[in-house]
Amino acid sequence: MSLFMNFTKRMFLPTLMLNKNKMFFHNNTKLLSSIMYTNDHETIHINEDIIKIGLSGYAIQEMGEIVFIEPEFEEGDYVSKGDTLCTIESVKSTEDITAICDGTIINYNNELLSDYSQIKELTENKSWFVKLKLNENIQTTNFMNYEEYHKHIK
């Protein structure tokens, strides 16, 4: 896999981190393969019965400056597939992070909730918004791997 970044099409590798106008690439194929994507540009990280849901670097870049993130539930609340977990407002748009399955909210990413500006400095592996405990098995065939997602956003 090439670590080439196409600036004209705004496509970013999942492990791209921007920090003080410098770019750092973390060449870790295990990390790349652990991230899945939805058609709505959400990132999915599954570790046994724990799932983290975030937004792809592409979606974050397209949204522009994030001005507000509003959690829709409390920690410990039960959520159903399709529920809006949090709403993200930016200068360009408003996006909802939705539950991809039934589960219980473990926590929201308080670091992101307290400092929205850092989201563009984080890798997709760390820029999650909500963590759920799964109450059911989920079909990962409904999600895209990195290569499929890269083709999807072209």
Side-chain angles (χ1 to χ4, degrees), residues 26-82:
H26 302 279
N27 188 10
N28 185 335
T29 55
K30 183 176 180 182
L31 178 61
L32 288 174
S33 66
S34 71
I35 300 173
M36 293 179 283
Y37 302 84
T38 69
N39 286 328
D40 296 326
H41 307 286
E42 294 172 340
T43 56
I44 309 299
H45 310 262
I46 301 174
N47 185 2
E48 297 180 13
D49 64 342
I50 305 296
I51 187 168
K52 293 179 187 176
I53 304 172
L55 280 177
S56 72
Y58 174 80
I60 290 167
Q61 184 68 26
E62 289 297 305
M63 287 183 73
E65 180 184 349
I66 293 175
V67 295
F68 187 68
I69 302 173
E70 181 178 6
E72 302 291 338
F73 290 91
E74 300 288 327
E75 294 177 9
D77 285 350
Y78 179 82
V79 296
S80 298
K81 182 178 180 177

Side-chain angles (χ1 to χ4, degrees), residues 5-13 16 57-64 92 150 153:
M5 182 175 179
N6 184 337
F7 285 97
T8 60
K9 293 187 180 178
R10 293 182 166 184
M11 295 181 192
F12 297 88
L13 291 172
L16 170 67
Y58 174 80
I60 290 167
Q61 184 68 26
E62 289 297 305
M63 287 183 73
K92 292 183 179 180
H150 188 74
I153 61 176

Side-chain angles (χ1 to χ4, degrees), residues 108-125:
Y108 286 93
N109 188 338
N110 291 323
E111 290 180 38
L112 288 181
L113 294 177
S114 64
D115 182 9
Y116 313 135
S117 65
Q118 71 171 320
I119 192 165
K120 289 190 178 192
E121 298 178 10
L122 298 174
T123 64
E124 284 184 346
N125 191 43

